């Protein structure tokens, strides 16, 4: 890396995550999320693009990953702020979505499959995610162990991921 590259500002990463329910089931997508590229089940979502607001990105990402047309979020499930070497200030926001329509038909090549799972099965599958930042806020929220709107702060250095604070 040149001195110029080292001084260049790194782009901020903003992510949105959608929680879509059908009765007592939760929508999950299967994608390459394992530390070695293994396929894992997770909540649908992705990056906010330049010029997008979070709710716009959420609708776009869920359409791409699941094929569903979703309405605006009804509440913030949780927020994460992650400081890592690669992404010094990543922010992820997860939202509950009550209104949706359409059939499950992923259009994103990174998504192998999308399906609704009964909550106990979804919790088991989400518990298999490698990273605490991928796993802990989702499980905390979906089990009710952590209140809606909780904020999680993580610092990731090397292979160590550390929860710094939560409120």
């Amino acid at each position: 890396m040149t001195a110029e590259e080292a001084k260049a500002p790194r782009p901020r990463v903003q992510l949105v995550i959608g929680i879509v329910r059908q009765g007592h089931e939760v929508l999950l997508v299967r994608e390459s999320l394992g530390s070695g590229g293994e396929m894992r089940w997770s909540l649908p979502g992705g990056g906010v693009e330049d010029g997008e607001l979070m709710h716009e990105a959420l609708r776009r990402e869920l359409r791409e990953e699941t094929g569903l047309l979703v309405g605006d979020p009804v509440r913030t499930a949780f927020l994460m702020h992650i400081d890592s070497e690669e992404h010094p200030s990543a922010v992820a926001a997860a939202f509950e979505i009550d209104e949706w329509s359409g059939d499950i038909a992923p259009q994103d090549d990174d998504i192998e499959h999308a399906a609704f799972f009964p909550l106990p099965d979804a919790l088991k599958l989400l518990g298999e995610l490698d990273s605490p930042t991928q796993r802990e806020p989702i499980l905390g929220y979906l089990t009710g162990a952590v209140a809606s709107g909780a904020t999680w702060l993580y610092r990731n250095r090397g292979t160590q991921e550390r929860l710094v604070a939560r409120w």
Side-chain angles (χ1 to χ4, degrees):
M1 178 181 293
T2 68
E4 257 181 47
E5 290 172 329
K7 289 180 185 179
R10 295 182 194 167
R12 300 277 186 214
V13 175
Q14 299 174 32
L15 304 168
V16 289
I17 301 164
I19 299 171
V20 179
R21 299 178 194 253
Q22 179 175 272
H24 297 289
E25 297 182 325
V26 177
L27 181 62
L28 301 181
V29 295
R30 188 164 169 80
E31 60 186 316
S32 176
L33 285 178
S35 57
E38 301 88 0
M39 300 302 280
R40 298 275 192 260
W41 289 96
S42 66
L43 294 173
V48 177
E49 295 179 355
D50 289 345
E52 277 186 322
L53 296 173
M54 286 184 164
H55 72 296
E56 295 165 337
L58 188 63
R59 283 196 301 262
R60 178 186 50 76
E61 283 290 343
L62 267 71
R63 177 75 171 150
E64 291 172 3
E65 292 194 358
T66 70
L68 299 179
L69 297 172
V70 301
D72 286 337
V74 293
R75 82 186 125 286
T76 301
F78 58 85
L79 298 171
M80 285 189 295
H81 188 185
I82 306 161
D83 173 44
S84 69
E85 292 165 346
E86 185 178 356
H87 302 291
S89 189
V91 175
F95 301 102
E96 282 271 0
I97 299 163
D98 282 353
E99 293 182 23
W100 57 271
S101 63
D103 296 318
I104 295 176
Q107 301 164 7
D108 185 322
D109 291 339
D110 294 333
I111 303 300
E112 180 183 80
H113 191 64
F116 282 97
F117 289 89
L119 184 57
D121 295 342
L123 293 172
K124 182 175 186 270
L125 291 168
L126 293 165
E128 296 172 1
L129 290 166
D130 295 338
S131 166
T133 57
Q134 294 172 329
R135 185 181 60 245
E136 292 172 349
I138 293 170
L139 293 178
Y141 176 74
L142 289 177
T143 62
V146 178
S148 177
T151 300
W152 301 70
L153 305 179
Y154 286 93
R155 179 151 290 129
N156 300 348
R157 291 293 180 260
T159 59
Q160 181 186 19
E161 294 184 46
R162 185 170 54 93
L163 177 64
V164 176
R166 182 185 78 206
W167 58 83

